[in-house]
Amino acid sequence: MRRLTSGGVPGFVARRLLLGIVVLVMVSIVVFAATQALPGDPAQAILGRSATPASLAALRRQLHLDQPVLEQYWSWLSGLLRGNLGSSLAAQEPVTTLLGPKLVNSAVLVAVSAVVSIPLSVAIGCWAALKREKIFD
């Protein structure tokens, strides 16, 4: 059995949380870089071929596409950390208002699945411990 290092459980939890944050930052960088590598102009794709140069410039300014890539990433990340997920271009509403009802539904599903799965998994674990070295274990 593997032992925890000298930091004990709090140190282990702190290291795992820090590792989780590092992974989230790396994933955000990869996803942002992948969207930047897509061919074409996002403003042109949103507004269509009949868009005027003035409307394209205004949308690029609104989406921060006129800034350098690192400033675009920082603008997006700082907005995300402040809880500003931006606005939906399709619905013309803040993304947080669109996600609100869906997050409530997801929370209900998580709670129901936890109520079912946690007691079930504890019971199965206890049964497997009682039947050590048998087929069920």
Side-chain angles (χ1 to χ4, degrees):
M1 181 181 228
R2 196 175 108 179
R3 297 185 67 196
L4 295 175
T5 59
S6 62
V9 173
F12 175 76
V13 170
R15 282 190 305 278
R16 298 303 284 182
L17 285 173
L18 184 62
L19 183 62
I21 291 170
V22 169
V23 168
L24 284 175
V25 169
M26 295 303 293
V27 166
S28 76
I29 290 171
V30 168
V31 169
F32 186 82
T35 59
Q36 291 294 315
L38 291 173
D41 180 16
Q44 186 77 50
I46 292 167
L47 295 178
R49 293 184 181 201
S50 61
T52 64
S55 63
L56 286 171
L59 184 59
R60 285 187 191 111
R61 202 169 24 262
Q62 178 187 353
L63 298 177
H64 305 287
L65 297 174
D66 58 342
Q67 298 175 348
V69 173
L70 289 177
E71 286 182 35
Q72 290 178 36
Y73 177 74
W74 180 250
S75 173
W76 171 78
L77 185 63
S78 62
L80 183 67
L81 293 175
R82 287 190 313 266
N84 178 10
L85 302 179
S87 295
S88 167
L89 296 173
Q92 298 298 320
E93 291 184 51
V95 172
T96 51
T97 60
L98 295 172
L99 288 179
K102 291 163 182 60
L103 287 177
V104 171
N105 293 340
S106 295
V108 168
L109 287 173
V110 166
V112 168
S113 66
V115 165
V116 170
S117 66
I118 291 173
L120 186 62
S121 62
V122 169
I124 291 172
C126 290
W127 183 258
L130 288 173
K131 303 292 182 181
R132 255 176 114 165
E133 306 297 328
K134 303 249 175 21
I135 194 157
F136 188 78
D137 183 39

